[in-house]
Amino acid sequence: MGVSSQTLEKLQSKARTIRRHIVEMVAEAGSGHPGGSLSSADIVTALYFHVMNVDPQNPKWPERDRFVLSKGHAAPVLYAALAERGFFSKEELLKLRKTGSMLQGHPDMKVTPGLDMTTGSLGQGLSAANGMALAGKLDNKDYRVYVLMGDGEIQEGQIWEAAMTAAHYKLDNLTAFVDYNGLQIDGPVTKVMSPESIQEKFKAFGWNVIDIDGHDMVQILEAIEEAKTVKGKPTVIVAKTVKGKGVPFMENQVDWHGKAPTLEQAKEALETL
Amino acid sequence: MTKIATREAYGQALAELGEEIKDIVVLDADLSGSTKTSVFAKKFPQRFFNMGIAEQDLMATAAGFATCGKIPFASTFAVFATGRAFEQIRNSICYPSLNVKIAATHAGLTVGEDGATHQSIEDLALMRSLPNMTVISPADGVETKKAIRAAALHEGPVYLRLGRMAVETIFDEDYEFEIGKGKILREGTDVAIIATGIMVGEALKAAEVLEKDGINAMVVNIHTIKPIDEDIILKAAECGAIVTAEEHTIFGGLGSAVAEVLAEKKPTPMKRIGVKDTFGQSGKPDELLKLYNLTAEDIVNAAKELKR
């Protein structure tokens, strides 16, 4: 497929901007989840700045593509993308997690423009995305539904109930991502409760599976395009990523799952981004 | 008097409403024959979604439908709907206040022979604790049909508590139903019996017995457990004694809701008829109602004790 080098550069630069926002907002909030936000920054950038058909002036436009952040703790990456896309002012980002803010610790669709679903309790987002995809099919709408899950999150049983549903109802208007960064709060996913083989599990559940490097923008875009051409089954893009990607001292460090950098650490991080 | 289970009335009402309100979709978890959503499924196969035996997925999928402007009715047995999927209802339906209707059948001990695992006696307490949730517990087939329509037209999450057992019809077709508004079914001055669900019929029978014994009992039907009708409870309290009756644990359901109102606004002597902090067991529904002290006779005894 033809993604111009100009487009690629634009997206890579946007992903950097989003990573900077993540570091700044989590540092300012004094709590939050930088690791899994940074690992999914390239995927979320691709969706909001190249793939998804959305209208920041009309966030509830019925024809829009939908995005469900099933791993809701990565809210900072989504808030940064929505602000950069123009759904609300970038000034809001520094109010993350503060009393009265439109940016709750985990996504609340009632208060944040552009959010398609309230999430945060792991394991529920794929089901909600299925509901949106089923509604789209029922009404013969062309919109697509995207959902991002964590690799730890798929330990939740409900994910596999929903995986069955998506295949059973042939939801080819649904594309799921697994942010396969390999780490969860208590350690490596393979040590805590191995979800492997993620690919074989989804295949066995009747899904089309695409493996990519979740930080390679070309691979991300190609996989999303391929998913659009697959008929009769949902697609999951298993994206190998690095937790904390882009901030050297956070990369692959489980400690940075749910810890905010100090202002000094944030300064150091921003210098590398 | 005709007898019909509230789940039967639900099935009929849903199929009728489906004609009129095209945004209604129905989801079930492999119990459509029992919950009676099968009637809708037959009539509108495209708008019916069997989710298999997966209640968590059932609720969160319904939430997804609601974000797209659909009016999903999600049905299964009350114990699984409110217990297994409680947190999905909390976080994916009530917190975002999505327009999902949870119509749960087989509530209470009158499930009968299936026993305690299937007898939901805590669903009202669970659902009542959730912000944005409206909780409705109809007394008969007529009220169920009206409640289903009202729920479909109401914007926001609604929990509807329905039963398996056929119950006598209390209301006639021109009965007016309004969410949040209780009904005085019988005026009285000595004691007020406030009942919900299948206990409304028992309350009416109890009032007749009390009448013979010289006690003039008011009977109030509270079909909406939340928001509770404070005005009618305070009016009932003018009798000076209150008996609540529900096919549910005495913790957290109708009795508790009434007690909360009275404790703050008009402390009144009261007794709660309900399941007394225990699980049910297998048996015929009417035998169980006797065994667990959920009959007109139990209401009569409670009223007499209060008047002693």
Side-chain angles (χ1 to χ4, degrees):
Chain A
M1 67 169 241
V3 183
S4 69
S5 57
Q6 212 181 346
T7 304
L8 270 184
E9 268 171 41
K10 189 196 82 181
L11 290 172
Q12 282 154 353
S13 153
K14 189 60 83 178
R16 261 194 308 279
T17 305
I18 284 175
R19 286 195 163 92
R20 294 180 67 88
H21 283 313
I22 293 168
V23 170
E24 284 170 334
M25 61 201 288
V26 174
E28 175 66 27
S31 68
H33 299 82
S37 298
L38 292 166
S39 66
S40 52
D42 299 296
I43 293 165
V44 173
T45 301
L47 288 171
Y48 276 93
F49 296 91
H50 191 74
V51 176
M52 284 171 55
N53 196 13
V54 292
D55 179 3
Q57 302 308 313
N58 186 10
K60 294 192 183 304
W61 179 41
E63 311 300 322
R64 74 189 185 279
D65 290 331
R66 269 89 171 155
F67 177 70
V68 178
L69 183 67
S70 195
K71 47 172 285 186
H73 55 278
V77 68
L78 180 52
Y79 294 156
L82 290 173
E84 279 290 325
R85 192 71 175 75
F87 281 92
F88 50 82
S89 158
K90 284 177 226 170
E91 285 161 26
E92 295 292 332
L93 294 177
L94 293 180
K95 299 181 194 158
L96 171 70
R97 289 177 166 248
K98 298 197 166 153
T99 308
S101 169
M102 68 156 72
L103 303 183
Q104 294 292 296
H106 293 82
D108 174 1
M109 67 187 290
K110 294 285 274 183
V111 296
T112 312
L115 282 186
D116 294 317
M117 187 61 201
T118 293
T119 52
S121 172
L122 294 176
Q124 303 186 22
L126 182 57
S127 301
N130 284 344
M132 296 174 192
L134 283 165
K137 288 214 171 256
L138 189 59
D139 290 345
N140 293 313
K141 299 218 179 214
D142 292 329
Y143 66 74
R144 294 189 65 79
V145 183
Y146 297 92
V147 53
L148 176 66
M149 298 174 278
D151 52 357
E153 179 186 12
I154 64 176
Q155 291 159 351
E156 289 281 5
Q158 189 187 342
I159 290 292
W160 301 101
E161 294 182 0
M164 247 185 286
T165 298
H168 180 80
Y169 284 105
K170 302 183 169 55
L171 299 181
D172 49 18
N173 54 348
L174 176 94
T175 301
F177 293 86
V178 175
D179 180 8
Y180 196 177
N181 61 36
L183 295 173
Q184 60 187 116
I185 301 179
D186 275 354
V189 291
T190 50
K191 286 213 170 144
V192 176
M193 178 52 66
S194 178
E196 295 182 344
S197 155
I198 297 173
Q199 294 88 338
E200 292 303 321
K201 283 193 175 72
F202 275 100
K203 257 178 220 158
F205 273 74
W207 288 57
N208 176 52
V209 180
I210 305 173
D211 260 301
I212 63 163
D213 171 347
H215 301 306
D216 182 324
M217 195 56 80
V218 174
Q219 287 190 36
I220 296 169
L221 295 178
E222 282 179 354
I224 293 171
E225 284 309 309
E226 183 189 325
K228 289 182 187 172
T229 66
V230 175
K231 297 296 165 206
K233 51 165 80 170
T235 290
V236 60
I237 297 169
V238 180
K240 195 78 196 76
T241 57
V242 172
K243 196 149 189 162
K245 175 72 177 177
V247 178
F249 67 84
M250 289 188 183
E251 287 188 0
N252 286 319
Q253 297 299 312
V254 74
D255 282 357
W256 291 102
H257 170 89
K259 187 175 78 172
T262 62
L263 292 178
E264 204 161 286
Q265 287 169 324
K267 206 174 145 205
E268 182 190 337
L270 290 171
E271 275 162 16
T272 60
L273 278 165
Chain B
M1 253 188 217
T2 55
K3 273 190 146 187
I4 176 176
T6 50
R7 63 176 166 141
E8 292 281 357
Y10 165 55
Q12 294 169 13
L14 201 53
E16 282 167 30
L17 272 178
E19 197 82 65
E20 193 182 317
I21 305 173
K22 303 290 183 202
D23 281 332
I24 289 179
V25 294
V26 177
L27 297 86
D28 204 300
D30 194 39
L31 289 168
S32 63
S34 300
T35 64
K36 302 299 169 191
T37 59
S38 54
V39 186
F40 181 97
K42 210 170 205 177
K43 205 167 160 192
F44 306 103
Q46 278 79 26
R47 285 152 60 193
F48 175 79
F49 301 89
N50 204 324
M51 305 307 293
I53 309 164
E55 295 78 16
Q56 305 172 80
D57 191 40
L58 167 81
M59 294 304 171
T61 306
F65 265 113
T67 68
C68 298
K70 297 295 173 194
I71 305 174
F73 276 75
S75 285
T76 179
F77 289 0
V79 73
F80 310 130
T82 65
R84 185 63 155 267
F86 177 77
E87 204 249 13
Q88 282 72 16
I89 295 174
R90 180 191 190 275
N91 280 322
S92 286
I93 296 175
C94 285
Y95 177 38
S97 196
L98 290 170
N99 200 19
V100 176
K101 316 305 164 187
I102 299 159
T105 66
H106 294 64
L109 296 179
T110 49
V111 165
E113 291 82 349
D114 275 353
T117 53
H118 285 53
Q119 294 164 345
S120 176
I121 50 171
E122 55 285 307
D123 51 315
L124 292 177
L126 289 167
M127 294 298 99
R128 198 167 76 84
S129 70
L130 294 173
N132 297 329
M133 183 65 104
T134 294
V135 180
I136 303 176
S137 157
D140 74 350
V142 173
E143 187 166 73
T144 298
K145 285 191 173 183
K146 308 246 176 196
I148 298 298
R149 168 176 288 275
L153 297 175
H154 173 86
E155 182 69 35
V158 178
Y159 175 70
L160 292 136
R161 181 184 216 239
L162 306 166
R164 169 176 183 257
M165 182 182 75
V167 291
E168 281 174 7
T169 300
I170 297 166
F171 302 105
D172 51 32
E173 292 296 334
D174 52 14
Y175 165 70
E176 278 177 33
F177 177 93
E178 189 186 337
I179 290 175
K181 288 266 175 269
K183 265 254 169 9
I184 296 175
L185 302 184
R186 190 182 199 278
E187 293 290 351
T189 50
D190 298 331
V191 61
I193 306 164
I194 302 180
T196 193
I198 66 162
M199 295 306 288
V200 174
E202 295 302 306
L204 288 167
K205 282 181 220 159
E208 281 174 32
V209 174
L210 287 166
E211 184 76 67
K212 284 175 196 143
D213 292 340
I215 296 174
N216 186 5
M218 175 190 279
V219 176
V220 180
N221 172 29
I222 293 282
H223 50 67
T224 306
I225 307 296
K226 186 186 173 190
I228 195 94
D229 186 346
E230 293 197 0
D231 292 344
I232 211 163
I233 291 168
L234 294 176
K235 185 146 196 270
E238 285 168 18
C239 294
I242 284 184
V243 178
T244 58
E246 61 198 308
E247 189 198 8
H248 184 272
T249 169
I250 53 167
F251 300 137
L254 172 72
S256 297
V258 170
E260 287 160 18
V261 173
L262 294 177
E264 286 190 353
K265 303 209 163 152
K266 192 175 171 61
T268 307
M270 70 178 285
K271 286 202 172 284
R272 292 169 296 157
I273 298 294
V275 181
K276 308 273 194 304
D277 197 22
T278 181
F279 288 106
Q281 61 178 289
S282 292
K284 288 198 190 330
D286 42 3
E287 288 171 4
L288 293 177
L289 292 176
K290 279 200 187 85
L291 193 58
Y292 289 85
N293 304 109
L294 299 174
T295 65
E297 193 186 339
D298 298 299
I299 296 173
V300 167
N301 293 339
K304 284 184 176 168
E305 270 181 55
L306 281 170
K307 295 312 287 181
R308 195 166 290 155

